Amino acid sequence: MIASISRGDRTRGVLAYVYGPGDVDEHTHQHTVAGFEELLPDPGRATDPEQALDQLAKILDLRVVQAGKRAPKEHVWHCSLRAAPEDRHLSDPEWEQVARRVMEASGIAPAGDPDGCRWVVVRHAEDHVHIVATTVRADLTHARLHRDWHRVMTELSSIETDFGLRQVDRTPSGHRTSPRRATRAELHKAKRLGKPEPSRQTLRSAVRESLAGAVTEEEILARLADHGVRVKIHRLPSGDARGYSFALPGERKANGEPLWFPGTQLGPDLTLPKIRARLHTGATTVAVTGAADAHRKADRSAEQALHVITSLPVQEIDEPTATAISAGLGEILDVLPQVHLGATRAQLRQAARAYGQAAYVHDRAADQQLRALRCAARTLLDGGPALGRGKDADGTAMVLSTMVLLVIAAYRWHEAHGHRQQANAARAAADHLRATYLTVSVKPLANLTLHGEQLPPAVRNQHAQAVHQALPPELAARVLAEPGWNALAATLAQAAAQGQPPVDVLRDAFNAREIATADSASSVLTWRIRRNANLPTASAVVPPTQRKPARTSAPQTPRPATAPMPPAHRPRR
């Protein structure tokens, strides 16, 4: 169950919203579930809703008016409670029980306290309710609301257990990784201006992308300028920078001033000390010859990280190593949308955004692991843009296949350690990455499949025997029965043509890491072999039926039937 708590100074305004139709008429069947006393006006069912709103607001504000100048400026306490989509729908009496427990935990209306604050519970949907209360007690003192949010969160964990609802992660480490959500005003502003998202989200993504793979602060600032982001540097008396604030051009507050967001409001890992700590780990530049080469080299680094995080049982992976790999993985995901210009770019950006919370390192990371993955992110940047097709398709599909497995490994580690928020973020990112991989890998795998189908039967049988020799019987039978077998056969043929025995390359690929749980064992083996054997791109493999004879300027004369066939037309053996 999710709770959102806010303060305000207009009781009637909040009541008008919770009893009203909502921003897009999403509120239906609005009604009062419970109140501090019975027989309160119910604007949701009244014949004159406006009059009922006035009456209810006056009743709730009575103690505030009596307190006069002693009343707090923001005297309205507003809490929305929402159940998870998979939870059962609670009845009105059950929501009343939940609300009373929340108000007691917060200090609004302790059980048995005759001087408790005035409140009302409003429901206008199946899955959530709103609590509206005024924070002046009957004895005209203020409600004790210090740390009310933490007390409410603790009580909600007990409520979830008692009512059989989904358990939400509320551990301190999980909370510290959560970036601030856009406010209702920010959401309304984005909608009014026709923007797809609030400025806060746009800036958060821009800062993360600018940080990924960067070596110096100057480079980050330059990349932010390329994103069109304005940066304000806050300085100490000595002149040294102590922090950054970010703004989008044209985004202004009501008074006309630029709408600045400090790094701490964009993400807990985007403050200047955290940025400098990440830069301190380094990101060595690696010489690359283009995007395809960069993707292959980055994939090797990701593969090494995957080996580290899967080499031991998930409970035995130490936290510094796991969090370092998680952070480095996040940087690679932030880089991929910047270097991919094809149709999958939007899907990659969604994966990076989904993974953002899981990537945050809340403890000291293992510098070596983080440095290796930051170098991989840097390598992708240095390799330049890739379209995800042609000669780029192999490297793109290869690195995406590894990234899917690495994100899944991160998900399993977070889940095993009770980090529900990070685990959910990693799972969502894995779904986006898997969809991107399936899109990108279609053409290279189709080309390999066609080549494998057209291999001579004798060659296919040899490679099938190699599969039986290199793999356990059950896995071998599964691989040969999968649709990806033809692509694997073509890959084994390429390896054999380069003098690498198919049995050896299969064993190396199988022993590299667990494979039985893969969706397609043949596809995993295909990419592992292509990576380990450094095979040419799949787009360079031309099936026999597509090969064309060399062009000649002179007309061809018919050859005698006994003449040997030219090499270009000899059947493959």
Side-chain angles (χ1 to χ4, degrees):
M1 185 173 291
I2 301 299
S4 176
I5 299 175
S6 59
R7 308 279 182 85
D9 58 2
R10 296 177 60 249
T11 306
R12 194 190 187 288
V14 177
L15 292 174
Y17 171 74
V18 298
Y19 280 106
D23 299 324
V24 289
D25 296 331
E26 72 274 21
H27 298 175
T28 58
H29 307 296
Q30 304 92 318
H31 63 280
T32 300
V33 171
F36 74 98
E37 65 177 25
E38 297 182 1
L39 304 178
L40 288 175
D42 187 348
R45 294 170 173 168
T47 55
D48 188 344
E50 293 299 317
Q51 182 180 10
L53 280 173
D54 291 337
Q55 293 174 348
L56 182 58
K58 289 179 180 179
I59 293 172
L60 295 182
D61 277 341
L62 177 62
R63 304 305 183 192
V64 178
V65 173
Q66 291 176 340
K69 294 182 179 180
R70 290 180 296 166
K73 181 179 179 181
E74 293 187 331
H75 58 268
V76 181
W77 189 86
H78 176 202
C79 175
S80 64
L81 299 170
R82 184 182 298 273
E86 64 269 26
D87 286 340
R88 63 184 179 84
H89 291 159
L90 302 182
S91 64
D92 281 1
E94 287 176 316
W95 274 120
E96 180 180 356
Q97 294 178 46
V98 170
R100 288 185 181 276
R101 291 175 62 170
V102 167
M103 284 184 289
E104 179 171 6
S106 67
I108 292 289
D113 183 357
D115 292 331
C117 298
R118 298 189 165 206
W119 53 269
V120 66
V121 182
V122 185
R123 183 175 187 176
H124 54 218
E126 293 287 355
D127 61 348
H128 72 276
V129 297
H130 292 259
I131 305 172
V132 182
T134 49
T135 58
V136 178
R137 294 163 44 84
D139 57 8
L140 303 187
T141 60
H142 300 176
R144 296 181 179 181
L145 299 177
H146 179 62
R147 294 180 60 83
D148 59 330
W149 191 91
H150 297 280
R151 296 197 302 271
V152 169
M153 294 303 106
T154 301
E155 184 62 26
L156 285 179
S157 295
S158 299
I159 290 172
E160 289 163 352
T161 300
D162 295 343
F163 284 80
L165 306 177
R166 173 184 169 182
Q167 296 288 308
V168 176
D169 180 22
R170 297 186 176 91
T171 58
S173 61
H175 174 57
R176 290 199 304 269
T177 66
S178 301
R180 291 193 184 184
R181 297 181 180 181
T183 64
R184 183 179 296 133
E186 291 171 2
L187 294 170
H188 289 177
K189 183 178 181 181
K191 181 180 179 180
R192 185 176 69 253
L193 297 178
K195 295 186 176 181
E197 62 186 7
S199 301
R200 188 189 298 268
Q201 179 63 65
T202 303
L203 286 170
R204 182 182 298 131
S205 298
V207 175
R208 289 191 187 280
E209 290 184 3
S210 301
L211 174 60
V215 178
T216 65
E217 289 182 48
E218 291 74 19
E219 180 185 353
I220 295 174
L221 295 177
R223 288 166 63 179
L224 281 168
D226 292 339
H227 278 89
V229 175
R230 301 175 60 188
V231 180
K232 179 168 64 176
I233 304 177
H234 305 282
R235 298 191 180 277
L236 297 168
S238 62
D240 296 331
R242 65 175 176 85
Y244 294 132
S245 290
F246 310 94
L248 293 176
E251 284 284 347
R252 298 188 177 277
K253 296 187 290 186
N255 60 5
E257 295 180 358
L259 182 60
W260 294 103
F261 288 89
T264 185
Q265 292 188 11
L266 298 181
D269 57 336
L270 299 181
T271 61
L272 183 56
K274 294 295 177 65
I275 289 175
R276 285 176 172 171
R278 192 177 301 190
L279 293 177
H280 180 71
T281 62
T284 308
T285 300
V286 179
V288 292
T289 58
D293 184 36
H295 278 69
R296 283 177 174 266
K297 290 181 177 179
D299 179 65
R300 292 193 188 99
S301 298
E303 178 72 20
Q304 291 171 1
L306 183 59
H307 174 73
V308 169
I309 202 171
T310 57
S311 59
L312 294 172
V314 67
Q315 293 288 0
E316 297 181 19
I317 304 294
D318 63 275
E319 186 165 359
T321 297
T323 53
I325 291 175
S326 184
L329 172 57
E331 291 211 30
I332 296 178
L333 290 176
D334 285 329
V335 164
L336 286 175
Q338 301 179 68
V339 299
H340 281 262
L341 305 181
T344 57
R345 188 177 193 178
Q347 191 82 36
L348 287 172
R349 180 160 280 121
Q350 287 181 315
R353 289 185 175 185
Y355 191 76
Q357 184 172 313
Y360 173 56
V361 181
H362 42 82
D363 291 307
R364 179 171 175 80
D367 288 347
Q368 182 178 0
Q369 297 298 333
L370 180 55
R371 184 181 299 111
L373 291 175
R374 293 199 79 241
C375 290
R378 182 74 197 187
T379 299
L380 289 170
L381 287 172
D382 292 341
L387 295 176
R389 60 175 184 266
K391 64 179 182 180
D392 294 337
D394 247 31
T396 302
M398 194 178 295
V399 74
L400 286 176
S401 68
T402 304
M403 296 298 284
V404 171
L405 297 176
L406 194 50
V407 172
I408 291 174
Y411 159 75
R412 289 173 177 169
W413 185 84
H414 283 301
E415 186 181 45
H417 287 76
H419 305 159
R420 292 195 186 96
Q421 293 181 15
Q422 292 93 333
N424 291 338
R427 182 171 55 186
D431 291 340
H432 289 299
L433 283 174
R434 187 180 288 109
T436 308
Y437 163 76
L438 292 175
T439 300
V440 171
S441 63
V442 167
K443 289 187 177 180
L445 287 179
N447 199 41
L448 287 172
T449 298
L450 183 58
H451 179 67
E453 291 173 347
Q454 296 181 2
L455 289 173
V459 174
R460 287 172 57 85
N461 289 336
Q462 290 176 4
H463 296 326
Q465 290 300 318
V467 170
H468 282 294
Q469 294 178 43
L471 305 182
E474 292 184 3
L475 182 60
R478 172 186 165 188
V479 167
L480 295 175
E482 289 180 347
W485 156 239
N486 289 314
L488 177 59
T491 298
L492 293 174
Q494 271 190 291
Q498 292 190 355
Q500 304 184 61
V503 174
D504 292 346
V505 296
L506 278 166
R507 283 175 178 164
D508 290 343
F510 171 72
N511 292 329
R513 201 171 53 258
E514 182 273 336
I515 196 175
T517 58
D519 294 337
S520 172
S522 55
S523 295
V524 173
L525 288 171
T526 295
W527 293 123
R528 286 186 189 175
I529 292 172
R530 302 192 71 79
R531 178 191 305 112
N532 298 341
N534 198 26
L535 298 179
T537 62
S539 59
V541 180
V542 181
T545 57
Q546 295 184 8
R547 295 180 178 174
K548 299 179 181 179
R551 295 182 179 178
T552 57
S553 55
Q556 298 290 324
T557 56
R559 294 181 178 271
T562 56
M565 297 176 65
H569 293 278
R570 288 177 183 165
R572 294 177 62 88
R573 298 187 182 275

